[in-house]
């Protein structure tokens, strides 16, 4: 039973437009959420995170929104660039826990 | 820059063989992890370790064991490789402390094929 779900396997966006990647979770005890980005032949790298006490966190072109009542978070990339083409993983952590639960990933393709 | 190094990029083994995957990190991180990545399933945690000689089972530990004799090194062992263990294996490390432990630094991965 997947506790973190990314229901869109892939997403294609035109360069300069907004990319929105979605993630749903089932465990209300998760208190910290992260996005990782993975290029082919490389390991995932940390992108941005958000604590459950916030509903938004912004870092440059990347913004993560958290809706606790809906158990939903989203990653917005504005404007999208071809170099953003990668697999994006959503991950969640339990309070006091040291391990992450990952979603299946979404492949983002940004077309120039 | 933090570096997590996995000993092999590609590995081909036969069913029943004992397989060792090695991982070394150079940032004195307390926590180390082994994940496997499969299409449609994302990253699933196999084992993790908070300290030398300590280990804890993750979500899918069956068929695997680990060893952490030194802080910088975390080994994953497949006691008797099977075809369903064909996968991309990713090692990661993190430091402890609020806001840091979840920020994992990953190696480039080992693509293991079991024939």
């Amino acid at each position: 039973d997947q506790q973190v779900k990314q229901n869109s396997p892939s997403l294609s966006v035109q360069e300069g437009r907004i990319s929105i990647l979605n993630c749903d979770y089932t465990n209300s005890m998760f208190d910290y959420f992260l996005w990782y980005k993975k290029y082919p032949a490389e390991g995932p790298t940390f992108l941005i995170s958000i604590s459950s006490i916030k509903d938004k966190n912004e870092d440059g072109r990347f913004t993560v929104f958290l809706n606790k009542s809906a158990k939903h978070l989203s990653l917005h990339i504005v404007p999208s660039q071809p170099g953003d083409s990668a697999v994006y993983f959503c991950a969640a952590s339990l309070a006091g826990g040291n391990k992450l639960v990952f979603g299946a990933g979404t492949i983002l393709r940004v077309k120039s | 820059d933090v570096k997590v190094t996995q000993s092999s990029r590609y590995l081909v083994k036969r069913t029943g063989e004992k397989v060792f995957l090695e991982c070394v990190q150079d940032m004195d991180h307390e926590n180390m992890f082994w994940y496997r990545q499969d299409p449609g399933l994302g990253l699933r945690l196999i084992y993790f370790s908070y300290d030398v000689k300590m280990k804890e089972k993750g979500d899918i530990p069956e068929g695997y064991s680990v060893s952490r004799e030194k802080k910088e090194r975390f080994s994953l062992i497949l006691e008797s490789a099977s075809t369903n263990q064909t996968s991309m294996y990713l090692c990661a490390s993190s430091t402890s402390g609020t806001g840091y432990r979840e920020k994992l630094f990953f190696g480039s991965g080992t693509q293991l094929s079991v024939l």
Side-chain angles (χ1 to χ4, degrees):
Chain A
D1 181 31
Q2 284 193 298
Q3 298 185 70
V4 177
K5 297 179 183 178
Q6 294 176 256
N7 292 318
S8 298
S10 65
L11 175 67
S12 187
V13 171
Q14 198 67 36
E15 181 180 6
R17 306 294 290 267
I18 185 171
S19 295
I20 300 176
L21 296 95
N22 293 304
C23 178
D24 297 296
Y25 61 95
T26 57
N27 191 337
S28 57
M29 299 302 291
F30 287 140
D31 75 335
Y32 196 68
F33 303 88
L34 305 91
W35 286 93
Y36 282 81
K37 176 179 176 179
K38 184 181 185 301
Y39 292 118
E42 295 183 13
T45 54
F46 167 76
L47 185 59
I48 192 169
S49 62
I50 188 167
S51 165
S52 60
I53 62 173
K54 295 186 174 181
D55 55 18
K56 177 183 174 181
N57 189 27
E58 193 171 351
D59 183 2
R61 296 186 297 114
F62 303 90
T63 303
V64 56
F65 295 91
L66 176 62
N67 182 335
K68 288 188 291 293
S69 61
K71 295 193 182 70
H72 176 83
L73 65 155
S74 60
L75 174 68
H76 292 211
I77 307 173
V78 183
S80 302
Q81 298 173 354
D84 296 328
S85 298
V87 180
Y88 289 79
F89 291 99
C90 172
S93 171
L94 292 167
N98 267 12
K99 61 175 188 174
L100 295 179
V101 179
F102 283 85
T106 296
I107 301 170
L108 174 65
R109 294 188 187 91
V110 180
K111 298 177 289 186
S112 55
Chain B
D1 275 357
V2 173
K3 194 153 189 186
V4 179
T5 304
Q6 295 184 230
S7 53
S8 304
R9 183 75 185 96
Y10 297 98
L11 213 50
V12 179
K13 295 292 181 181
R14 297 239 175 246
T15 302
E17 278 193 75
K18 191 168 186 175
V19 181
F20 293 86
L21 301 183
E22 305 288 344
C23 175
V24 177
Q25 51 94 3
D26 65 359
M27 283 301 291
D28 202 35
H29 282 173
E30 296 84 2
N31 310 315
M32 295 190 76
F33 307 82
W34 275 106
Y35 286 87
R36 63 178 279 178
Q37 181 192 356
D38 300 288
L41 296 176
L43 280 70
R44 292 180 293 166
L45 183 62
I46 304 171
Y47 266 97
F48 60 107
S49 169
Y50 298 139
D51 201 351
V52 176
K53 296 192 185 296
M54 296 185 70
K55 60 186 179 184
E56 293 211 23
K57 293 180 180 179
D59 300 316
I60 50 164
E62 296 79 17
Y64 303 94
S65 61
V66 290
S67 171
R68 193 164 181 204
E69 296 296 319
K70 294 184 178 180
K71 190 174 185 180
E72 68 270 19
R73 187 179 297 271
F74 193 36
S75 303
L76 180 69
I77 304 153
L78 286 69
E79 296 291 342
S80 177
S82 63
T83 54
N84 63 12
Q85 292 178 311
T86 291
S87 186
M88 169 67 76
Y89 289 86
L90 291 160
C91 175
S93 71
S94 72
T95 190
S96 293
T98 303
Y100 293 98
R101 58 177 184 246
E102 298 90 349
K103 290 175 186 160
L104 306 183
F105 293 86
F106 283 89
S108 297
T110 296
Q111 180 62 53
L112 173 67
S113 296
V114 182
L115 306 178

